[in-house]
Amino acid sequence: MAVTWRAVVLAALGLPVVLLVPATGTVLLWALLVVVACAVDVALAASPREVGVRRDVPASVRLTEPSSSTLTLSHLGRRRLRGVVRDAWPPSSGAQVDRHRLDVAPGEGARVRTVLVPTRRGDAHADRVTIRTLGPLRLAGRQASLTVPGRLRVLPEFASRRHLPSRLARLRELDGRAAVQVRGPGTEFDSLREYVIGDDVRSIDWRATARRSDVVVRTWRPERDRRVLIVLDTGRTSAVRVLDAPRLDASIEAALLLAALATKAGDRVELLVFDRKVRGRVASATGARVMAQFADTLALAEPALVETDWPGVVAQVRQRLSQRALVVLLTALDPAAVEQGLLGVAGQLTERHQVVLASVSDPEVDTLRTSRDSAAAVFDAAAAERVGLERAAVAVRLRQRGAEVVDALPDDLAPRLADTYLALKAAGRL
Amino acid sequence: MSAPTVTTAHAPVVGDGTSVRSRSARRWRRARWWLALLGLVVVAGLLSALPEPRTSTLTLAPDNPGDLGARAAAQILGRQGVDVRYVRHIAEVRSLAAPGSTVLVVGDYLLDADQIDVLDATGADLVMVDAGWALGLLTDTIAAGGGTGGEPEVRSAACDDPDAVAAGSITARGSLQATGPGAVVCFPAAGTDTDLGGAYAVTESDGRRIVALADVAPLTNEHLAEQGNAALVLRALGRHEQLVWYIPSLDDVGAGDGSTDAAPGQLLPPVVPILALQLVLVVVVAALWRGRRLGRLVTEKLPVVVRSGETTRGRGRLYRRARSYGHAAAALRAGAAARSAARLGLPRSAPAPVVVDAVARATSRPAHTVEALLYGPPPTDDRGLAQLARDLDHLESEVHRT
């Protein structure tokens, strides 16, 4: 049951009548008239429960990109169906207009499209489809909410992909395939070519030169087919907000950029999402499927309010990696948490693998550190200074154990991590 | 990246799995307790509204059963066949009172001259209780004396008015005096003569009778049964079959003939309440229109909103509350020293004298001032800490690699 604005107008039309015949009976009669008219309209309205509803949703969409949910309605009743249908989605799905007018003859169908511009990563589950049918007078009608399943997976935005072209150019330089022939630093033998002026004389291959009439140099290229394991920490420190997004979101961006870059560089990338247990993993994916699987797995990564189990991480890494690999820990350089957890087990990781710890730092701390507005601000500045010193000290202790530490603002983390990867690759430390 | 569209529900969904019977059963289950509660409230309201007639606490009101009320007198008069009309407005007096009826006026504090003119013009017999000033305007032959204080005393008639004689004695206070011929004053104060005034006076003017009582006591429920009070009161009020019981009220101004402002309720045309009823109908329908939602609200979990800077701020507050200037200053100094040292290319582990030396050379400041700034005694108040922070900022801004 629902009434429309027309019923209100009908009730209001009683005002002049009451002015003409001012009696309580007039009001009662008019109220009766409104009730009867509405009841008749409801009785003549098509049943919202005699409509077949199907909802079509794309499997996934990238954050901030528009998508749409399509409702296909087939009218099974005998009366003409006039009314409204609402395709309900959670607020973060960004449904622009989710109400649509309907006017369907018996036996026919209609298709309505709701544009969704999601504003949050993760699975968005559609709510009910509500159909309100109106009677011929459109005074009142019937309403029913149907449970029609629908799910839209919102993938991470991957805004850091704008950094990818420049890093790929650097990678090509390393590979020795760039237009500018800088001798590719690396440790893996690539090929022999003729000496040109400017080449390092130390790279001349005398044995090959002796076989041919020309002077021949060896070229090197960075190693390929190395393994990269990205460990995303979804423990309590990842839930903290930095600027306007959880720390986890910046880590996800960094993971995606690194995965794209390493895949292009010919390395095998794996992902482990972990806090106290494995929340998601990508392993043994190759080629184009790597990015799709990364996006799919990272879409569902949510911060959990638990302390990360670092010995568990080490056990997982041991289980997954038999040979030397690059292990990237996307976590927070939170002095207390690191001292309690990671520091104790960092040695076990670094003795077998190259470890990079990437952490999102908070620009607010820098703002606090430089504020001098009041006595309270100076105390805050002192606290910020102390936090900065402690972070630096923890970073130093991690470096002493052989780990690389990348501590950057949310927007800088992805490119900084990519640069670190390239530097390690160039130095042949993978 | 546009993903392929997939159908998440292959078969179309029809209906929500309910029937008319199951829906009405569910509605009844949900509503029955509320309906029961509503019924209870209605029944309780009816029960409380039904039995008791309306009562008031107004002095001398005919519906006041209290000590100062006059319900006893009014009910006795009613039983004797007198039609008692209780009114609060002069306009009603004007329409009800006529020659051959009695108007009881209680008190004159809220009366004005116009209203007294209206009383005069009705031509009805008047019984003025505790209304000395009004009496002065109505007749020349009775004037109010003083002495309405103290407890009512027993007074005897001491005159030849038949009503007073029939009553014999009453309990009353106060006095009225005859100032002209034709006025009879009775019930003087004990031990005095009627020439000095009495509680009761009667006069005839223009063919109607004006009875004046100096005191309200004889009329009240408390004193009605004492002495001859009842006889006097009933005879004074029961002369005619019509009795208009008029107690002036605060919201009644003017002569009640429409020449002056009437009460707001009387200004409105009679159609207004009915129009308001119709408006209520409109509002109810509008509420139903806006109140029915098109499907339920969709909820979702919100992410954590704790900002990363909160812990740092909290630490700053702790420093401040503990007034730990030493800790705060040490942190500021360590930060400044670490940054300066890094800028000058010193290792993190460089000892203090080396840092002082290098910073002094870079800023061309004396070494002892730099040392006092970086490793001096801690400040002891807010001002000192702020000064230290500013000095460190200055020092840091001067450090450049030489």
Side-chain angles (χ1 to χ4, degrees), chain B residues 269-283:
Chain B
V271 73
V272 168
I274 298 168
L275 213 55
L277 204 61
Q278 180 72 17
L279 275 174
V280 167
L281 173 71
V282 174
V283 168

Side-chain angles (χ1 to χ4, degrees), chain A residues 382-410:
Chain A
E385 200 83 76
R386 179 64 70 192
V387 168
L389 289 168
E390 284 173 1
R391 280 174 81 94
V394 163
V396 165
R397 288 176 70 185
L398 284 167
R399 286 197 184 100
Q400 282 168 353
R401 281 164 173 73
E404 288 285 324
V405 176
V406 179
D407 188 19
L409 298 181

Side-chain angles (χ1 to χ4, degrees), chain A residues 1 53 120 362 385 390, chain B residues 13 292 301 308 315 339:
Chain A
M1 248 303 282
V53 183
R120 195 183 302 161
D362 185 1
E385 200 83 76
E390 284 173 1
Chain B
V13 175
R292 181 77 160 119
K301 285 187 180 172
S308 144
R315 198 171 188 173
R339 274 191 301 279

Side-chain angles (χ1 to χ4, degrees), chain A residues 52 62 129 149 192 225:
Chain A
R62 185 169 282 161
V129 172
L192 293 171
D225 295 321

